[in-house]
Amino acid sequence: MALFDIFKKKSEQAAPEQPEVAQREQEELSAGLEKTKAGLFSKLARAVAGRSTVDADVLDDLEEVLITSDVGVETTVKIIRRIEERIARDKYMNASELRGILREEIAALMEQALGSDGNFGLDARPGEPCVVMVVGVNGAGKTTTIGKLAAQLTKAGRKVWIGAADTFRAAAIDQLKVWADRAGATMIRQEMGSDPASVAFDTLTSAKANGADVVLIDTAGRLHNKIGLMNELTKIRNVMAKVIPDAPHEVMLVLDGSTGQNAFEQAKQFTQATQVTSLAITKLDGTAKGGVVIGISDRFRIPVRYIGIGEGIDQLRIFDRREFVNALFGNEED
C-alpha cells in the first residue's frame, strides 16, 4: 500500500451526506490564505483602476503585482505570456475580466506543473515500512511538520517510527520527542553529536523488526556548506538502503512559505544536494507571500504534497491545486 493512500482526496473524504466537511475545510483554507489573497487583489485592483482594456500598461502592472506577490520572475513571465496570447487570440479583453483570466491561467499552469491526476505513489515492498526522509533548513517547520504528519498517520491506524537524525541540535531532538509522544509514535534517538546516519540505521532496523508502517527521518538543516550537506544526506541514504533497499521512498523538502524568495533559493540548494521528490510549504497563514506556492511548483516541477495553514495538527493539509486556487480567488460564482 502506498503511504498516502490513507489520505484520500478531499472530494472523497467529504461524502455526499457530509457536504459541510468539504465546505468547512475550504473555508479554513481560505482563511489560512487570507493575507495572500488580500495582498494580491488589492494590488490587482490598483493595477486596473481606471482602465477599460488589458493593454501593455496593464500587463506591465500585472507583472509587478505577481513578482511582488512572490510568484517569482520565471513563472510571472509565463503567466504574462499566456495572457498576451489570449489577448492576441480574442482581440479584446476587458480589464474587469482580468481576475478571472488570471485565475484560469494560474490553474492551468499548476495543472501542467503538478500533473493531471494528483496521485503520488509511495509504494514500499510488502512487509517493509515506507521511509520518508525529511529535509529543510532550521526554522522552516521541519520538526513540526514531522510531528503533525506522525499524528495524522497514527490517527489513521499506522505504526509510525521517527528517527531523530538532526543530532547537531539538542533542542530539535527534544522537540521531536514531544511531538512523537503526542502522536503516539516511536522515536529512535542517540546522544547529541552522534552520527546522523547511525540514527537512521537504528531507526530503520527497529521499524522493520517491529512491523512499522511508516518511518519519518528528521535531518540537519545546515546550508552554509552545500558540499557537506550533500555528503551527509548521501551517507544517510546509503546507510538506510542497507536496511531497506529502496529507502528512502520519498525525500520531502520542508520550506517556510513566509520567507518568499528565500524559499526558492532553499529549494534550489536542496534539489542540488539530494533527490527531492516532494514539498511541504509551511506557515502560509501568517504571510502575504503564498504566491510562492505557485512559483515553486512551476519552477521545480516537484509535487507540493502539504501546506501548513495554522498551528493545529489538522492544519497541515494535503495540497490540492484546485482547492488552493479556489481559496485564493474564490469559487467560480464569487
Side-chain angles (χ1 to χ4, degrees):
M1 177 181 289
L3 168 61
F4 292 94
D5 282 349
I6 66 169
F7 296 123
K8 301 298 184 183
K9 285 184 175 297
K10 295 295 185 292
S11 58
E12 296 172 356
Q13 289 178 334
E17 66 273 14
Q18 293 181 311
E20 68 278 3
V21 175
Q23 181 178 350
R24 184 181 70 249
E25 291 184 344
Q26 187 68 46
E27 289 173 352
E28 289 175 352
L29 181 59
S30 296
L33 295 174
E34 185 58 37
K35 290 185 178 180
T36 294
K37 183 176 180 179
L40 175 62
F41 292 119
S42 64
K43 294 174 184 176
L44 187 61
R46 290 194 295 270
V48 300
R51 313 283 182 86
S52 58
T53 62
V54 178
D55 55 19
D57 290 337
V58 170
L59 290 178
D60 284 344
D61 289 342
L62 177 59
E63 183 175 8
E64 181 178 350
V65 167
L66 294 174
I67 290 174
T68 57
S69 297
D70 288 280
V71 172
V73 175
E74 293 182 22
T75 302
T76 293
V77 170
K78 286 185 182 180
I79 293 171
I80 297 299
R81 186 181 301 126
R82 293 170 75 114
I83 294 177
E84 286 175 337
E85 291 171 355
R86 288 185 63 161
I87 293 174
R89 182 176 66 247
D90 299 340
K91 305 303 181 186
Y92 177 85
M93 190 173 289
N94 194 307
S96 64
E97 300 171 333
L98 190 56
R99 172 171 168 164
I101 294 163
L102 184 60
R103 172 203 178 102
E104 292 171 8
E105 294 305 331
I106 287 176
L109 199 67
M110 295 185 75
E111 177 107 0
Q112 292 177 357
L114 300 176
S116 59
D117 58 11
N119 294 319
F120 311 111
L122 288 178
D123 292 312
R125 298 190 302 180
E128 293 184 342
C130 189
V131 181
V132 180
M133 184 168 76
V134 185
V135 301
V137 300
N138 298 335
K142 186 157 46 74
T143 303
T144 301
T145 297
I146 291 171
K148 291 180 179 180
L149 180 54
Q152 292 183 21
L153 287 164
T154 55
K155 184 178 180 181
R158 296 300 189 266
K159 293 176 66 175
V160 181
W161 257 241
I162 298 175
D166 182 359
T167 60
F168 299 96
R169 295 186 303 134
I173 299 174
D174 293 341
Q175 183 186 8
L176 199 60
K177 176 61 174 172
V178 171
W179 272 107
D181 291 344
R182 187 183 303 172
T186 298
M187 181 173 131
I188 304 299
R189 62 185 292 177
Q190 293 182 10
E191 296 299 321
M192 181 181 171
S194 300
D195 181 6
S198 176
V199 177
F201 181 88
D202 287 350
T203 305
L204 265 64
T205 300
S206 175
K208 186 175 180 180
N210 288 279
D213 298 303
V214 183
V215 178
L216 305 172
I217 301 293
D218 191 14
T219 60
R222 301 167 301 166
L223 267 181
H224 63 275
N225 186 333
K226 188 172 70 177
I227 295 176
L229 174 68
M230 184 181 301
N231 291 340
E232 182 177 295
L233 295 179
T234 299
K235 182 180 178 182
I236 293 173
R237 293 181 67 121
N238 291 341
V239 166
M240 289 195 295
K242 293 179 180 178
V243 183
I244 299 176
D246 298 327
H249 304 96
E250 173 129 336
V251 178
M252 182 181 294
L253 171 60
V254 178
L255 298 171
D256 180 349
S258 69
T259 63
Q261 291 304 298
N262 284 340
F264 282 86
E265 183 60 27
Q266 292 170 26
K268 178 181 177 181
Q269 295 285 335
F270 275 96
T271 53
Q272 291 174 350
T274 191
Q275 185 179 356
V276 175
T277 59
S278 70
L279 302 172
I281 303 179
T282 66
K283 308 181 185 181
L284 291 177
D285 56 308
T287 180
K289 299 181 178 182
V292 71
V293 176
I294 301 167
I296 286 179
S297 63
D298 171 62
R299 179 172 171 181
F300 293 95
R301 300 300 174 104
I302 299 171
V304 178
R305 196 183 299 287
Y306 290 104
I307 56 174
I309 56 168
E311 295 298 323
I313 285 178
D314 59 348
Q315 289 178 314
L316 177 68
R317 299 280 295 275
I318 295 174
F319 178 72
D320 184 303
R321 61 185 178 277
R322 298 178 186 88
E323 289 184 348
F324 179 84
V325 172
N326 285 343
L328 194 58
F329 287 86
N331 292 319
E332 297 288 356
E333 63 270 16
D334 290 350

